[in-house]
Amino acid sequence: MTATTADNTARYTQAKSAFGFELSKLVGLDEDLYGIASHTDIYPLVDPAPHFRAHTFAAKVVLVTGASRGIGATIAQHFARAGASLALVARSEALLNYVKAGIEQDVPGAQVLTFVLDVRDTAAVCAAVAETVRHFGRLDVLVANAGALVPLGKRFGAVDPNAWWDTVATNLRGVFNFFHFAAEHLQQSAGSAIAITSAAGHLRIPTGSDYSVSKHALDRLVEFFPIEYPAVKAFAMHPGGVSTELSRGSNAPIHFDTTPALGAAVALHLAAGKAEWLSGRYLSAQWDLGEVEAKHKTAIVDKNMLVQKLALP
């Protein structure tokens, strides 16, 4: 089981003085909706095995950014095992080739394109999306996973401002770039766009404003996608606290104990059209989506919840 609100509060309470003040002063922990449904690291109702057996994504094309390791690499592997052709994006050619080789070994005959680029480079993103569509003839699923952050430790008045903005540029502009150039193709295929966000977007973590602000804005950007491109199903998905190179380098005093396979399984579930009513909304891969649908769907849809909004009691 993943950490509860009380568990994380205790961990923040114990993390003192390292950054000049207590991280127990964290604001917004109660806004992460830990109580909405069961939090788990197993597959409750989103077991990927049926998609693997049925090749649910045969003849579909999936583009994944940040695909050279961690969450992105696992998502790419899951879609390949479900029959998809892949376009993989990352900055490291060596790591990207390693992931590609692993997929081709695991899924003989898998079709994999790779693009070595920085997601902030608008021209390079344009070329990658165009080449993907030219090569495969279509685009059905976009998973925008590439991310960045400044390690915790300095207030925003002391942090390197260029580093702060680099985080925002990667996490927001990088996603927008792919949304921009993929939008018409996804509209044509009635496809899906999944942005990997974070529960940190709902928190005010001292010395973590770059990451929190960028993910908060990303959640709002996702809300626009199905409004402006109504044939597209778009989701802002928190994959859980996954131990990745990024999270391990964050200096966050919490345990990252969620398997990356959980978010990958939920990505398959969403892209397969199993939860279209959540389009344009935030969700967590740690929620039991079956429980959420059974208990909360009517209220979420009728009251337009799981979006960024102001509310009174």
Side-chain angles (χ1 to χ4, degrees):
M1 297 294 290
T2 57
T4 64
T5 303
D7 292 333
N8 275 335
T9 299
R11 288 166 186 160
Y12 278 106
T13 301
Q14 293 165 7
K16 300 180 179 180
S17 73
F19 308 132
F21 51 85
E22 295 184 10
L23 284 176
S24 59
K25 294 178 181 178
L26 172 72
V27 177
L29 191 63
D30 59 336
E31 298 171 23
D32 187 40
L33 300 178
Y34 276 92
I36 193 171
S38 301
H39 278 52
T40 179
D41 282 340
I42 61 174
Y43 302 125
L45 296 176
V46 292
D47 183 356
H51 296 297
F52 297 159
R53 291 193 297 268
H55 278 191
T56 301
F57 294 91
K60 303 292 186 181
V61 178
V62 179
L63 190 157
V64 183
T65 73
S68 62
R69 59 193 177 202
I71 297 168
T74 304
I75 288 173
Q77 183 188 53
H78 271 57
F79 274 105
R81 292 182 65 188
S85 297
L86 300 176
L88 305 182
V89 174
R91 291 182 297 175
S92 171
E93 183 174 11
L95 291 176
L96 203 54
N97 287 339
Y98 178 79
V99 171
K100 177 182 178 181
I103 289 173
E104 291 173 339
Q105 181 176 0
D106 185 49
V107 185
Q111 300 297 305
V112 184
L113 288 181
T114 59
F115 298 95
V116 179
L117 59 84
D118 188 318
V119 296
R120 298 171 296 180
D121 185 338
T122 304
V125 172
C126 175
V129 173
E131 176 58 18
T132 297
V133 175
R134 187 204 66 78
H135 183 86
F136 291 120
R138 60 187 297 128
L139 179 62
D140 299 278
V141 180
L142 168 65
V143 182
N145 168 69
L149 55 74
V150 175
L152 298 177
K154 294 182 179 180
R155 294 176 172 89
F156 63 74
V159 74
D160 178 353
N162 291 320
W164 195 98
W165 278 111
D166 282 345
T167 296
V168 178
T170 298
N171 296 349
L172 186 58
R173 180 175 182 169
V175 175
F176 172 79
N177 281 343
F178 276 93
F179 275 14
H180 174 80
F181 293 108
E184 291 293 349
H185 301 296
L186 294 175
Q187 175 78 359
Q188 184 175 349
S189 65
S192 301
I194 301 170
I196 303 303
T197 188
S198 172
H202 308 293
L203 309 179
R204 273 71 81 200
I205 303 172
T207 74
S209 61
D210 62 313
Y211 191 70
S212 292
V213 167
S214 65
K215 293 299 187 179
H216 188 81
L218 174 58
D219 292 349
R220 175 66 89 188
L221 178 61
V222 167
E223 294 172 29
F224 276 90
F225 212 135
I227 292 172
E228 299 189 2
Y229 295 89
V232 180
K233 281 74 67 181
F235 310 91
M237 184 186 77
H238 169 53
V242 181
S243 178
T244 65
E245 184 172 322
L246 190 72
S247 63
R248 289 191 297 272
S250 69
N251 291 337
I254 60 175
H255 296 312
F256 297 101
D257 52 8
T258 304
T259 169
L262 182 65
V266 174
L268 290 181
H269 184 78
L270 297 174
K274 301 300 184 181
E276 293 186 3
W277 65 276
L278 283 170
S279 181
R281 307 180 194 279
Y282 168 89
L283 67 128
S284 172
Q286 294 174 291
W287 297 344
D288 182 327
L289 294 182
E291 185 180 346
V292 172
E293 182 168 3
K295 294 183 177 180
H296 305 289
K297 177 181 177 179
T298 298
I300 289 171
V301 173
D302 290 350
K303 297 181 181 180
N304 193 27
M305 301 168 73
L306 301 183
V307 297
Q308 304 284 14
K309 65 195 304 183
L310 301 177
L312 291 172

